[in-house]
Amino acid sequence: FDSFIHLFWVDTNNWKSKNHLEFNLPLSKKIIKKISSQGLKNITVLGTCLEYGLVEGVLNENQIEFPHTNYSLGKLKLLKLLTEMSMNNQINLNWLRLFYVYGKDQPEETIYGSLKKSIKNNKRSFDMSEGNQIRDYLEISKAIEIIEKIACKKKNLGVINVCSGKGEALKSHVRKWVKEISPESKIELNFGYYPYRKDEPFSFWGDVKKLNKILES
């Protein structure tokens, strides 16, 4: 094979976990250094929008990052190493900053997975926050398609946002998901049950100018 897509990362639902720095980071370094030493040059790695930090509004790849969790810090440390490798012509690097995804096979810990489970179990209501936070969601099959297309280009493209480029209130996303999962569902959305998270921005979405240019080329 001539291209490698690195998706491995544990504890992605626990942003404070020490595993991001003590397990994920060193093992990822070891794996990528090993395969690059054997002549593999094309490497695509999944990053996260959380690398930008607690920043509001539209986020583009040229912004300075402000990691505020072990998860985002671990990813950025790996990015720094791989950027140095790409500058030394050891690898062609694609660092894909994934925003939020939904769709088939999403874990039950995610809001989509939890909603799907509640509908399947004929729950009367679904507990969530007020839902006014603005999020950028991309359907999982579309995200996979983008990852594959970029990896197959075999170029040194650097950091790329992978998202829809559109910000929308979470409650709007959830209402659409209910209709997609089960059009006949009568489940009620219990807004305000959970407080808003303090470890992520309230309103943000991704800039897709670079992504669209790459996909069109």
Side-chain angles (χ1 to χ4, degrees), residues 70-127:
N70 285 341
Y71 177 39
S72 54
L73 182 59
K75 289 285 188 178
L76 273 177
K77 284 182 176 291
L78 181 59
L79 172 59
K80 182 178 179 180
L81 168 71
L82 299 183
T83 300
E84 292 175 354
M85 292 176 65
S86 68
M87 291 176 67
N88 294 329
N89 297 316
Q90 292 176 259
I91 62 170
N92 291 325
L93 172 65
N94 298 314
W95 183 271
L96 307 186
R97 269 191 191 140
L98 189 65
F99 278 62
Y100 292 80
V101 295
Y102 73 95
K104 185 179 178 181
D105 298 328
Q106 289 294 286
E108 291 182 0
E109 308 90 69
T110 64
I111 186 170
Y112 182 90
S114 178
L115 174 65
K116 187 174 181 179
K117 180 181 179 181
S118 295
I119 293 174
K120 182 180 179 181
N121 292 337
N122 295 315
K123 296 289 186 179
R124 292 184 177 181
S125 65
F126 179 72
D127 298 331

Side-chain angles (χ1 to χ4, degrees), residues 35-49:
I35 61 175
S36 64
S37 69
Q38 296 177 353
L40 184 69
K41 289 186 64 68
N42 305 298
I43 297 178
T44 298
V45 183
L46 206 61
T48 170
C49 62

Side-chain angles (χ1 to χ4, degrees), residues 130-149:
E130 286 288 352
N132 293 316
Q133 61 270 54
I134 305 300
R135 294 290 177 267
D136 186 334
Y137 271 92
L138 187 65
E139 203 277 324
I140 185 65
S141 63
K142 180 63 176 178
I144 293 170
E145 180 183 345
I146 290 172
I147 293 169
E148 180 182 9
K149 285 183 176 180

